[in-house]
Amino acid sequence: RSLLKRHRAKCTWFHPPANEIYRKSDLSIFEVDGQVGKIYCQNLCLLAKLFLDHKTLYYDVEPFLFYVLTKNDRKGCHFVGYFSKEKSCQQKYNVSCIMTMPQYQR
């Protein structure tokens, strides 16, 4: 509990380190470039590994774009889930990984 309080006192981020590309009512989507927000994207992959057994890539995030869905309120943007896709894929696959936090799954 004390670590969380200390983090909340020092942290100035209230949304992902990226550009908001879509907003409708209380939902937003942010596009994070894996090359620009490397640590953030690596942390997304490590978080996904907790819920997805087949997730194998954690640190090689540079060739990917991450689209982060958040639910917004007066306190900031709350992480709901994300999907990632390769910037340039020769097999023409669209999505690399999809993860939704358990409390938002139906």
Side-chain angles (χ1 to χ4, degrees), residues 3-90:
L3 288 175
L4 177 62
K5 286 181 184 178
R6 191 176 86 211
H7 172 75
R8 292 182 82 191
K10 291 183 178 185
C11 185
T12 58
W13 285 14
F14 293 98
H15 60 80
N19 294 324
E20 183 179 34
I21 60 170
Y22 179 80
R23 179 182 290 208
K24 185 171 182 181
S25 63
D26 64 342
L27 298 175
S28 293
I29 297 179
F30 294 85
E31 181 181 61
V32 186
D33 187 333
Q35 196 166 14
V36 176
K38 186 175 179 179
I39 300 296
Y40 182 83
C41 294
Q42 287 175 344
N43 287 337
L44 281 179
C45 291
L46 289 169
L47 178 65
K49 179 62 180 161
L50 295 173
F51 303 104
L52 305 171
D53 292 337
H54 63 277
K55 179 77 175 148
T56 57
L57 285 176
Y58 319 115
Y59 299 108
D60 183 27
V61 295
E62 290 91 352
F64 295 92
L65 290 172
F66 292 78
Y67 295 89
V68 179
L69 176 64
T70 63
K71 188 170 177 129
N72 311 322
D73 63 16
R74 61 181 173 77
K75 293 182 180 180
C77 300
H78 306 282
F79 181 74
V80 173
Y82 83 96
F83 73 89
S84 61
K85 69 175 194 170
E86 287 188 68
K87 293 177 191 174
S88 59
C89 180
Q90 294 189 0

